[in-house]
Structure formats: structure tokens, C-alpha cells
Amino acid sequence: MNRKIKIAFATALTLITGYISAAESPPYKGEETRQIKALSESDITGLLAGKGMGYGKAAELNGYPGPKHVLELSKELSLNAEQQKKTETLFALMEASAKSLGAELIAAERELDQAFANKKIDAATLAELVNKIGQIESQLRTAHLNAHLQQVKVLNEQQIALYMILRGYNGADGHGAHHHHHNK
């Protein structure tokens, strides 16, 4: 009996030690001090700067170049003056829209955070705030994806294929650069 008690005690001690270790490093540790709990400082900075933050991935990784990266690769892509100007305009419009929507998203996330922090939230308020955030995120993603959609009309097939290679997306199988309608 003494041996069974020792084994049970050792097992319990092991489980408790494991639980304490897990409790010492929760996944959100340190995030409780954030100004807005759901957004990191880099998220806030990126949103205010109009950065892509992954919103354009569906387009980018399927052969629809983004204007920012096209501008960065303008020499390698041999953009002509008209393509350069159109791309600069696309980028400026997208960036302005993204900055504005990013600021709106931060404000909406702050409102949700404050509702929880002040214990002034119920199911109806939660639904309203989350729907507001969802609408803004939808508009933000659309702004980024639309810029990719418009950019593909500015480039020719060879430039798109080269872009995909330069960005490191195109393997030997040729996936990524699909046939699109372009203004040449």
C-alpha cells in the first residue's frame, strides 16, 4: 500500500508541476498590457501606414502583383513611363484608402477593448461592435485586393511572370502567373 501511495503522490506531483509550468507561460502573456489588447504595436503601426498586412495574399500569390512591389521592382520589370505613372497612382489611392480604413479599424478595436475593460458589454453591444470591425476589415481587404486586381491590367504577361519569379513565388512548374486580361 505504501508503494501505491508513493506512486500516486509522484504522479500527482508531476501533474501539478506540469500544470504550473504551463500556467507560467500562457499564450497571451504580456499582451494584457497592450493599449488595445487585440492589436500589437506593429499591427497599429502597419494599419496607420496603410501596409498590406497580408490582406492582398489571395491576389499576390495567385499572379496578381501588388503596386507597392511593382514599384520596388520597376527597373527589373522594365516599366515604361505610362506603366510607372499608372502604378504610382494605384499605389497612392490604395495607400490613402488603407490608411483611412486602418485608423477606423483601430478605433473600432479600441471601442471593443474599452467595452470589455469597462465591463459595459452585453450580447447586443458585442454583436454591433464585432460587425463594425468586420465591415471595416472587409473594406480594408477589398482596397488591397482591388489594387492587385487593377495592377494586373497595367502589366503584360512577361512582366507578371518575371514579377512572380523576382518575388520568389514561381517554381519550375510555372504556377502563379495565369492568363489575365491586360492593357499592353
Side-chain angles (χ1 to χ4, degrees):
M1 196 74 170
N2 194 12
R3 182 171 181 218
K4 287 183 180 179
I5 292 172
K6 285 181 181 178
I7 291 172
F9 179 74
T11 302
L13 187 60
T14 302
L15 290 172
I16 290 168
T17 303
Y19 176 77
I20 291 170
S21 294
E24 288 175 1
S25 57
Y28 305 132
K29 185 177 180 179
E31 294 180 12
E32 71 278 3
T33 62
R34 288 180 178 176
Q35 181 183 4
I36 301 170
K37 307 303 182 267
L39 298 175
S40 70
E41 286 303 315
S42 66
D43 291 337
I44 292 170
T45 301
L47 287 167
L48 291 174
K51 301 266 190 231
M53 301 182 61
Y55 285 115
K57 272 188 191 179
E60 176 80 10
L61 298 177
N62 280 299
Y64 290 77
K68 176 184 179 189
H69 302 302
V70 169
L71 291 172
E72 292 169 348
L73 297 169
S74 62
K75 284 184 182 179
E76 294 88 338
L77 296 173
S78 302
L79 295 185
N80 63 37
E82 182 183 355
Q83 288 175 315
Q84 181 78 26
K85 185 177 180 189
K86 284 182 179 181
T87 301
E88 287 169 356
T89 301
L90 276 174
F91 179 70
L93 292 171
M94 181 279 306
E95 185 180 45
S97 177
K99 283 179 178 181
S100 175
L101 289 165
E104 284 183 44
L105 181 58
I106 291 166
E109 285 285 359
R110 180 177 285 114
E111 192 176 352
L112 177 66
D113 188 78
Q114 288 302 305
F116 274 105
N118 296 328
K119 312 292 188 237
K120 305 259 188 207
I121 191 154
D122 56 24
T125 304
L126 175 65
E128 179 185 325
L129 293 173
V130 170
N131 283 333
K132 181 178 179 180
I133 289 167
Q135 288 173 347
I136 297 166
E137 279 193 307
S138 175
Q139 293 171 346
L140 184 57
R141 189 168 190 202
T142 299
H144 282 283
L145 289 169
N146 191 50
H148 287 258
L149 192 61
Q150 297 306 311
Q151 181 65 59
V152 80
K153 295 175 183 178
V154 175
L155 304 175
N156 64 42
E157 290 287 334
Q158 293 76 24
Q159 288 171 315
I160 293 170
L162 180 56
Y163 174 92
M164 296 300 287
I165 292 167
L166 292 170
R167 294 281 292 157
Y169 306 139
N170 237 9
D173 61 1
H175 283 70
H178 303 286
H179 297 286
H180 307 289
H181 299 287
H182 304 285
N183 296 337
K184 295 182 185 177

